[in-house]
Every structure is written in structure tokens, then in C-alpha cells.
Amino acid sequence: MIDLHRQTFRDEAYELLAELETSLLELYENSSDPELVARIFRAMHTIKGSGAMFGYDDISIFTHDVETVYDLVRTGQLVATPELVTLSLAARDQIKEMLDAADGIGRVNEEHKAEIIAGFRALLTPSDSPVRERAPLVGESAANAVTYRIRFKPLPRLFQTGANPLVLINELSEMGRMFVIAQTSNLPLLSELDPELCYLFWDIVITTDKGENALRDIFIFVEDDCELTIDVIDDGGNLDNDEDYEQLGAILIKRGDLDQEETNLILSRHKRFGELAVEAGLIESKQVASALAEQQYVKGLRKERQTQESGSSIRVPAEKLDILVNLVGEMVTVQARLSQYAQSSNEAALVAIAEEVERLTASLRDNALNIRMLPIGTTFTKFRRLVHDLSQELGKRIEMVTTGAETELDKTVIEKLNDPLVHLIRNCIDHGIEMPEVRAAKGKPRTGTIHLSAIHSGDSVLITIMDDGAGLNREAIRAKAVEKGLVAAGAELSAKEIYGLIFSPGFSTAQQVTNLSGRGVGMDVVRRAIDSLRGTIDVDSREGEGSTITLRIPLTLAIIESLLVRIGEDCFVLPLSFVDECIELSREDVARSHGRHVMNVRGKYVPYIPLRERFSIGGEVPAIEQIVITQIGGNRVGFVVDHVIGEHQTVIKSLSRIYRNVEGVSGATILGDGSVALILDIPQLYKGAELAEREAC
Amino acid sequence: MEKVILTADDSASVRQMVSYTLKQHGYDVIEAADGKDALTKLEGRKVDMIITDLNMPNLDGIGLIRGARALPPCRFIPIIMLTTESQDSKKQEGKAAGATGWIVKPFQPEQLIAVIKRVLG
């Protein structure tokens, strides 16, 4: 590629040299034509500039002085004497000689060259000699991360040079951890605002190891159009002795928002500094907020560093943590009772205490659960070994890539995830990834990839197992399912439904049974294990390109956010992660659907399950019932209850062995008044209803 | 949609190098041999950025910057000028005419891309 450019440059240079010769000869005749001088200057300039770009450094250096002389002629500071023209012609020949030499034709006469340069230099005053300036791109770097305070205050005319401050701030953000506060205090009233002017300025605090010059470099194009101050506020551990950072007043003075005298005046009164400064009309609250943010940022930074330095962690038996979490669970229950009692007692003092306890309990709960969180990465390493061993055994070449190993999950959840993940990964290796030859024939890289990733999403963690193998064969799955009697032969199924079939008991499409998988046990075990974690499985696949299995697992098993509902006298709990919305169901609605359990929700039909019937609860049905609409594996299903009470922090209690096999219930919880509410197993209820429906057909 | 960059340079080799580098990085390129040619090519179409040499026949880089800034669609787009180290005064003149920034010749393709990222985002 560079050779191509060099060739273009050579062609161009020969052309320019020919033109140069003509121009110089004309100049000999007519030394006062400014257009001729300009043409000569441009030719020299191009040869110099382009020469340097394509590696002809000697030509570029040589031409520099010639160019400088013609610049002086052009601006009238020198006269184009016949001697100069003669010298220039010699220079032109010299350049040609150098070009030829680069092509391997002839040699450069260095002596002659030096003479010509000396001739041009003699025409120049010393100040005209080359001055090299700092190139705008330098990558000086400092060893450790330093925190800087940057105030970037562009002049209003900034936009007129086509500069975009946001692009600069974005570029800055790539250099390290930072926060930005936009200052709006110069913003005029809308009626006076000129949209072509820049009124905003920015306070930035950034921690970077790139050094101050690199920071200044970003602003190099706008240097003249802005006020830019960059100060070191934390040098990565050398300045600070403790995590305390400067007082708010000191920060504002250093930023130049306030001076010492104003500060003293304010300090003489007793109130929070920021409020006082704003009240006094000296600064705006936004400026205080910005300074406060800086204070917080550096304090946080130093605290972090101290924790790292002391490296304090202790090992505690997992059992102790389990006990702690259980106790917290009990505590949440008692607290709920206390709150309920306080509310009904109408005693202000008691209500205040109850609220305090509620707040403390909530943070105690979060902290206790947090202790039990572990990064999922520990299990990931185990799978790496598994992939290695199995692929060796099968003669396949498989690479495993993991991301999100730092994602935290409750310890008990991680333990229960191990087996299903092993099954899923085995399946990928066995059925998903093809043999190297097959892959090569399909134009894929011989080595297959399994990508295992974990990421937080709300109150759950998404675990994805993605392979670039053969993908699922929809027709084969359908045929197998029909053969096993899982679906009717003519049934219309969506892709998702077909993929879902692989989790049915006794299902396997593998042509050959290996000792790893293919016996049809495994995938339904996976489904059961994930269900028991109250998680969901989602399968997606493209034939020939691979498949993706996504597990959505709740963060913790101990305490969940849920929706508390009532049917008759009994309370039930639905995990909030399933719930989409609640709507009313009137007697007319029921009559309109002619006894079918479907409801028209904004033009779409949603089937529902009347829980009163399902659990055989007697008593009077209220005139208006409620449908709680849930989302299960992409389907919307409603559950009819009498009354929706509201959101509830549910401490999960497992049921005793006698009740463990009761369908539709996954556990129980104790409510504020001491009564027990059952936790509904939404996926199981849905599946049960689906089966009943199919049998009825 | 790809961003469109107009590059004006009387040196075919520099133009070719700039154009090649830009196209490699997914930009659409319009080439112009001098300022006058560039202004003609700017008529009736919107470009996202201009990269111009300063010394060109017919209309030089400063003239092009002034001319482009007078066109409403080009008022606020980034304009980068290619300068040599001996042209510090030109740089000031260019900025006064409305140039966003500059690249000092000679430059490497990576430097060109870095500057484009800096002004175009």
C-alpha cells in the first residue's frame, strides 16, 4: 500500500519538477510576477510536505530551506534575483537527482547538495531557521493514576470553529474514571439565548495514568477558544495521609469560584457552608454541587485505596453465614409484624420506632445477603477443565471463552447451578460443536467456541451459553417429539416452543448415544434444577450457526420481592419477577368469553387460571376479581385472585417434607400478622394448566 | 450511514493517501484538487467534515475555510487543515477563518484517524 503512495508521489514530483523548471525560467525573464513566485513556492511546498509523508526525508529536509526563501520572496521580503533563480534551478536538479537515487539511478552528490543548501541559508536570517513545534499527538504517560480537576470553559464562539465539546469530553472519558458536571450558570433566558453560542462550561474530575500533557493534548485545538485549568487534586497516594479530603470552602477557592475573604465571611456564621455561600449570592448551587461531588469522589477514591492497602478480609465458615441470613429472615418477619401493629395502634412514638426498625432491617438484610454473594467465576474455571477433557476425548477442537466471571450470586444459588451448567455445556460439546473436518467443510474455523457469560439484569443474573456449532435442527426435534407423543403430528409450534421441547423428559435427538449424552436424560434435569431456583430457560438457535441458551436466575434464594394477593381468607405470594401487570376481571368479562378462560387485554387474548378453582377455595366470589398477568417463557398468562394487596418482602421458608410434593406451591412465608402465606410456583401452575387443557382437547 | 469527508489538496499523492486511509476506516470521501474545486463540490450536498491543505492554486485553504463557513450546512462542521511546521502564522490565520484544528505534515495515517476521532466523535 505504501509503495502505491510512493509511486504516486514520484509521478507527482517529476511533474512538479518539470513545472518548476518552466516557472523558474519564466521568473528569470519576469522577476516581479507574484503568480509565478506563488507557483514555485507551492511546488516546493508540496514536494517537501508529501516527500516527508512518503519517506523521502532527505528531499523534504533539503527543500525546506528553498521553500522558506520563496516564502520570503512571496511576502516581498526578498527579491527574486537572477542569482536566486540560478540557485533554484540547481536545487531543482538536485531534487531530481535525489529522486532518481531513491529509484536506484545514479548517486547523490553530497558536496553539491551542501553547497546549494548553504546558498539558500545565506539568504535567510537566523530566525527563519526551522522551528519544530510539538506535534498535537503525544503519548507521554505517568506511572501511577493521578486525579485531576479540569475546568473547561469555552468562549461563547466555540462552535464557530466547528469544535464539539461533547466529543472532547467523550475522548477524555476514555482516559480513565471520571465524572463531569455541566455548569449552567451563564445560561441566559430563553428569549435571549443565541443557539449558536456556547454558554455551558464543565467541571471534570478524572483519575488517569496518562499524565497532564495527554489531558491538555485533547484540548489542543480549542486552547485559544477556552479557559482551561487542570490541577492535580490527588496524586495517587503521595499527597494524602488519610481519606479526608479538602473542605468544601477550600475546593471552591481553588477552583476560583470564591476568594478567601468571601469564605471567611461565610464561615463566621454557623450553617452548612454550601448553603451559606449560595444564600449570600456569591455562587450558584450547581457550583456547590460540583465541588461536593469532587469531595465525594476523592474521598471515595482514597477510602478504596486504603481498603486495598489494608487488604482486610476474613474467612468465615459458610455455615455461620447461613445462620446469619436465617436470623435476618426471622428479623424481617418480626419487623413486618411490628410495623403492622404500630400502624394499627395509632401511637406516634411507636410508629416512629417501627419505621426506624424497618429502615435498619432493610439495610441489615441487604448487607447480610451481600456477604453470601460470591463471584460466579469459581465455577467457570471448573468448566474450562471440563471442556478441555471432553473435547480431547471426542477429538473436537473447542475453545471456551468466559465473560462476567466477577458477577456475584448467592452462594447457595451458585452451588445449585453447577449441575445444570455441566449438562448444558456437555450438550454443546457433544451435539453442538461439529468435528473439525465438518467445520472446515462448512467454512467455519476448525476450532469451535463456547462462550459462557454472566451478567446482572435487575434482580436476576443472566447466564448465557453460546456455541458456534451446528445449531438445533427444528424438524428433527419436531419429528422426535411427535414420535415420542409429546406433540400432535399436525400441531403448529413456534420456534421457541419447538426448542422448549428439548427439555421434555425422555427427549433426545442424537443419532448416536455416546457416554456423555444422548440418553435423553439431562435436559429435563436441567429444566427441573432451574425451576427449583425459580429461574427460566430460553433457547435460541440458528441452524448452521450455533445456539444460545440463556438462564435467568434470581440473585438470592432467601428473600424475594413479591406480590401479596388474597383469595377468600387466604393470602398467597407471587414472585414479582414474573409479574407484568394487574387488571380487573368483572362478571361481564367472564360472561363475554363464554366460559373460556381468556381475557382481551388491549387487543390481545391472554389466557388465565382462576386460582380459586385451582385450589378449591370456597366462599363468595367478589363482583370484581383481579388478574395478575405474568410472563413465563415468552407467554403471558393471568392468575385470577380476589384482591391484590401489594408488594411484599418475602422471606422464603421451605415447606416440610409432607407438603414438598404439593404442585403449584414452592414454599411459604410468614406475614406481618403471623399468618402463613403460600408462595405460588408460577411456572408449575402454568404447566399444569397447559397439560389439563391438552387432555381436555 | 457513512460519514462523508471532503479532502482538498493539490498534491495527488497526499490526496490519495488521505482518501485511502479514510475509506479504510469506513468514511465516504470526496476529493477536490483545490479550494475552488472543493467549494463547487460542496454545493448542494452535505458533508460531515472537511480536511484541507493550506497551499493550493486557484483558492487556498484559508479561502476554502472562509467559503465553507459561509455555507449554512458547513457552519458548524469540523474543518481540519494540513500544515507544515513552518506555518505557525498560517495556523492562526486558519483558526481565525474558522478551522477546527490542524494536522502537522508529515503525518501517519493513525494520526489522521486520531484527529478525525477527536473532532468528529
Side-chain angles (χ1 to χ4, degrees), chain A residues 354-612:
Chain A
E355 276 172 3
E356 185 93 329
V357 172
E358 187 174 340
R359 199 171 51 74
L360 283 172
T361 317
S363 75
L364 180 65
R365 177 202 66 212
D366 290 346
N367 275 301
L369 290 178
N370 203 11
I371 295 173
R372 235 178 26 174
M373 295 291 201
L374 281 180
I376 197 166
T378 45
T379 48
F380 280 12
T381 20
K382 265 191 274 174
F383 299 143
R384 205 176 279 280
R385 181 63 197 269
L386 175 83
V387 169
H388 175 259
D389 291 354
L390 286 187
S391 52
Q392 291 279 319
E393 198 174 315
L394 292 168
K396 293 185 180 180
R397 281 165 49 179
I398 300 170
E399 191 191 3
M400 174 141 136
V401 183
T402 58
T403 48
E406 70 289 343
T407 311
E408 286 188 334
L409 260 176
D410 194 293
K411 185 176 81 58
T412 50
V413 178
I414 289 185
E415 281 161 8
K416 288 187 183 163
L417 260 179
N418 191 46
D419 287 352
L421 281 177
V422 167
H423 271 297
L424 289 172
I425 291 172
R426 276 188 166 181
N427 251 293
C428 281
I429 299 171
D430 205 21
H431 304 317
I433 308 276
E434 313 93 324
M435 298 300 282
E437 302 75 46
V438 180
R439 291 182 64 86
K442 284 187 187 169
K444 294 185 188 179
R446 295 176 78 86
T447 306
T449 311
I450 295 179
H451 191 163
L452 182 60
S453 73
I455 189 171
H456 276 288
S457 162
D459 63 347
S460 3
V461 167
L462 293 181
I463 298 172
T464 314
I465 301 149
M466 194 164 70
D467 69 59
D468 63 348
L472 296 170
N473 184 337
R474 254 184 258 172
E475 282 316 305
I477 296 171
R478 172 200 277 278
K480 193 79 176 180
V482 172
E483 185 195 318
K484 299 257 173 189
L486 293 167
V487 287
E492 267 189 42
L493 297 172
S494 70
K496 277 231 145 66
E497 284 170 316
I498 293 178
Y499 297 144
L501 290 172
I502 61 173
F503 295 106
S504 313
F507 187 92
S508 169
T509 60
Q511 314 290 334
Q512 210 180 344
V513 173
T514 70
N515 66 337
L516 300 174
S517 53
R519 289 198 195 88
V521 289
M523 291 306 249
D524 63 315
V525 176
V526 171
R527 154 76 40 102
R528 240 179 288 142
I530 301 300
D531 279 353
S532 79
L533 289 168
R534 287 195 328 283
T536 57
I537 307 181
D538 192 56
V539 185
D540 198 13
S541 173
R542 282 185 170 204
E543 210 162 337
E545 289 176 35
S547 44
T548 307
I549 296 174
T550 308
L551 308 178
R552 178 183 279 274
I553 309 291
L555 280 178
T556 175
L557 291 177
I559 299 176
I560 56 165
E561 293 280 344
S562 57
L563 194 69
L564 189 61
V565 299
R566 207 181 61 221
I567 306 168
E569 296 296 309
D570 300 314
C571 286
F572 293 89
V573 166
L574 289 85
L576 203 58
S577 53
F578 287 108
V579 176
D580 261 4
E581 60 178 327
C582 301
I583 57 168
E584 284 183 355
L585 176 71
S586 62
R587 292 260 163 85
E588 293 82 64
D589 292 323
V590 179
R592 216 176 294 142
S593 56
H594 307 290
R596 308 266 298 275
H597 291 157
V598 285
M599 174 77 178
N600 186 339
V601 184
R602 295 183 296 273
K604 290 215 168 118
Y605 285 97
V606 176
Y608 59 77
I609 301 167
L611 289 178
R612 186 179 275 274

Side-chain angles (χ1 to χ4, degrees), chain A residues 262 265-266 269 274-283:
Chain A
E262 290 168 331
L265 190 76
I266 294 163
R269 294 173 242 166
E275 287 166 34
L276 285 165
V278 175
E279 271 173 31
L282 295 168
I283 50 174

Side-chain angles (χ1 to χ4, degrees), chain A residues 263-277:
Chain A
T263 312
N264 290 346
L265 190 76
I266 294 163
L267 281 176
S268 60
R269 294 173 242 166
H270 288 280
K271 245 194 175 185
R272 297 194 75 152
F273 184 87
E275 287 166 34
L276 285 165

Side-chain angles (χ1 to χ4, degrees), chain A residues 144-165:
Chain A
N144 62 340
V146 176
T147 305
Y148 299 90
R149 172 205 300 134
I150 303 172
R151 171 160 291 181
F152 172 45
K153 194 168 186 177
L155 298 181
R157 59 157 201 257
L158 180 81
F159 299 142
Q160 278 153 30
T161 59
N164 183 346

Side-chain angles (χ1 to χ4, degrees), chain B:
Chain B
M1 206 185 74
E2 276 106 45
K3 294 208 167 158
V4 183
I5 301 180
L6 179 132
T7 167
D9 205 311
D10 57 330
S11 159
S13 57
V14 174
R15 218 162 56 221
Q16 181 187 318
M17 182 265 207
V18 169
S19 170
Y20 182 87
T21 309
L22 295 184
K23 281 178 183 158
Q24 265 195 327
H25 284 81
Y27 297 102
D28 267 353
V29 185
I30 302 173
E31 291 185 34
D34 58 52
K36 213 170 145 197
D37 186 24
L39 282 181
T40 321
K41 285 177 174 160
L42 281 175
E43 243 165 64
R45 71 167 301 166
K46 168 111 179 71
V47 303
D48 297 288
M49 179 176 174
I50 297 173
I51 300 176
T52 176
D53 189 23
L54 284 184
N55 283 291
M56 292 183 291
N58 298 323
L59 182 67
D60 68 358
I62 305 288
L64 169 58
I65 295 170
R66 289 212 185 94
R69 285 285 183 237
L71 301 171
C74 296
R75 280 199 68 184
F76 299 112
I77 64 168
I79 301 182
I80 290 290
M81 47 190 172
L82 306 179
T83 72
T84 52
E85 68 274 26
S86 62
Q87 289 177 308
D88 200 37
S89 59
K90 277 278 174 191
K91 213 156 72 186
Q92 295 307 326
E93 208 186 322
K95 280 231 71 175
T100 314
W102 58 88
I103 303 177
V104 178
K105 286 199 275 192
F107 56 87
Q108 295 302 310
E110 307 83 66
Q111 290 175 303
L112 176 67
I113 293 302
V115 169
I116 292 173
K117 290 256 151 64
R118 171 163 304 168
V119 294
L120 202 53

Side-chain angles (χ1 to χ4, degrees), chain A residues 332-341 648 670-675:
Chain A
V332 170
T333 312
V334 174
Q335 173 265 314
R337 283 172 63 186
L338 176 64
S339 294
Q340 201 167 39
Y341 177 71
H648 185 254
I670 297 163
L671 298 178
D673 59 1
S675 66

Side-chain angles (χ1 to χ4, degrees), chain A residues 55-105:
Chain A
Y56 296 94
D57 288 339
D58 52 343
I59 294 180
S60 168
I61 293 164
F62 176 80
T63 320
H64 175 79
D65 290 320
V66 188
E67 183 206 1
T68 316
V69 167
Y70 275 92
D71 196 23
L72 294 176
V73 176
R74 199 169 60 140
T75 50
Q77 294 172 58
L78 266 180
V79 184
T81 58
E83 291 74 39
L84 175 62
V85 174
T86 313
L87 190 62
S88 307
L89 280 168
R92 179 230 162 247
D93 295 342
Q94 183 63 41
I95 295 169
K96 187 162 183 304
E97 196 179 304
M98 287 158 80
L99 265 176
D100 289 343
D103 267 347
I105 307 161

